[in-house]
Amino acid sequence: MAQQILNKKDRDAVGRTVLFNWQHTLFTTAVATLLAGFLAVIFTWYTPASPPSLASPSVPSPEPESTTMSPLVSVEFEVFGRVQGVFFRKYTQRTARDLGLVGWCLNTRHDTVQGHVQGPADAVARMKRWLSEKGSPQSKIDRCEFHNEHNVAELAYKEFAVRH
């Protein structure tokens, strides 16, 4: 009788061990699957996209390059309309960088966006057209004013920045 009880106890211990091992394996597999899926999403999300081309719909396509270098131009601007709270500065920065321009832009207390842009004359002309007509997808441009446009010998900025 004692032998049977001992065997039953052994069997129960073995059964608990098998059950624990099965649960542990199931849990480990589930965690590994979730972790692999999470990492796949993160790496996909953080993979840098190719930079937008100049042929994108938001930026007019570039003119064929001429053999002469375009002079460097500097111009200040102020955009009126619904241009705050619609990612206007972000899109302005992206467009300026796509066109190879430098400078800055910022929101004003008068619900406008002001800025300064510098670069080759042809690219500045395209940026002026974008600021006057296109803007960010949710913006509504009433008008854009340009001031103090002049040629410069060298650029005063290293990149196009959004100021706060």
Side-chain angles (χ1 to χ4, degrees), residues 75-80 88 92 104-106 113-117 127-128 131 144-147 160:
V75 65
E76 298 168 7
F77 63 87
E78 185 167 11
V79 186
F80 297 82
F88 191 86
T92 300
W104 55 269
C105 65
L106 60 78
V113 172
Q114 288 182 343
H116 191 182
V117 64
M127 184 67 179
K128 287 171 64 176
L131 288 166
C144 185
E145 296 178 358
F146 299 97
H147 307 284
F160 195 94

Side-chain angles (χ1 to χ4, degrees), residues 59-61 63 70-75 95 99 101 117-133 146 149:
V59 179
S61 59
E63 306 297 324
S70 180
L72 296 177
V73 175
S74 177
V75 65
T95 303
L99 292 170
L101 301 172
V117 64
Q118 295 181 335
D122 56 338
V124 170
R126 285 183 281 177
M127 184 67 179
K128 287 171 64 176
R129 198 167 40 249
W130 185 90
L131 288 166
S132 300
E133 300 169 4
F146 299 97
E149 185 168 353

Side-chain angles (χ1 to χ4, degrees), residues 10 17 20 32 62 115 117 152 163:
D10 288 344
T17 302
F20 173 77
V117 64
V152 292
R163 293 186 179 174

